[in-house]
Amino acid sequence: MTTEELTSNVLKALDEIRPFLNSDGGDITLVSIDDDKHVKVRLEGACTSCSVNQMTLKAGVETTIKKFAPQIETVVNVM
């Protein structure tokens, strides 16, 4: 998978999970993809102060991204 295809797939994954975040007043933005296997995202809005944002990141965001791009190893939130 090329870098462009990888980026496109990660963005598709974020588009799939975004409505769930939006419904709680949050959002998510792709910051970067490093070495074609480490994704950095920024949780925004209500997600920044949510007490379960790390669970959302791992159980929701990371799982969805890995469904679209299985070679991704980590997903982290950056401020």
Side-chain angles (χ1 to χ4, degrees), residues 43-68:
L43 291 171
E44 301 171 339
C47 290
T48 60
S49 60
C50 179
S51 63
V52 294
N53 69 8
Q54 287 305 305
M55 186 177 5
T56 299
L57 185 67
K58 292 296 177 190
V61 177
E62 185 172 290
T63 301
T64 304
I65 287 174
K66 287 181 176 180
K67 181 173 78 173
F68 281 81

Side-chain angles (χ1 to χ4, degrees), residues 13-26:
L14 296 182
D15 285 344
E16 184 171 290
I17 200 156
R18 185 170 281 115
F20 300 103
L21 299 174
N22 291 161
S23 70
D24 286 331

Side-chain angles (χ1 to χ4, degrees), residues 17-37:
I17 200 156
R18 185 170 281 115
F20 300 103
L21 299 174
N22 291 161
S23 70
D24 286 331
D27 204 353
I28 191 166
T29 301
L30 176 64
V31 174
S32 66
I33 302 173
D34 301 330
D35 301 323
D36 288 343
K37 57 187 171 185

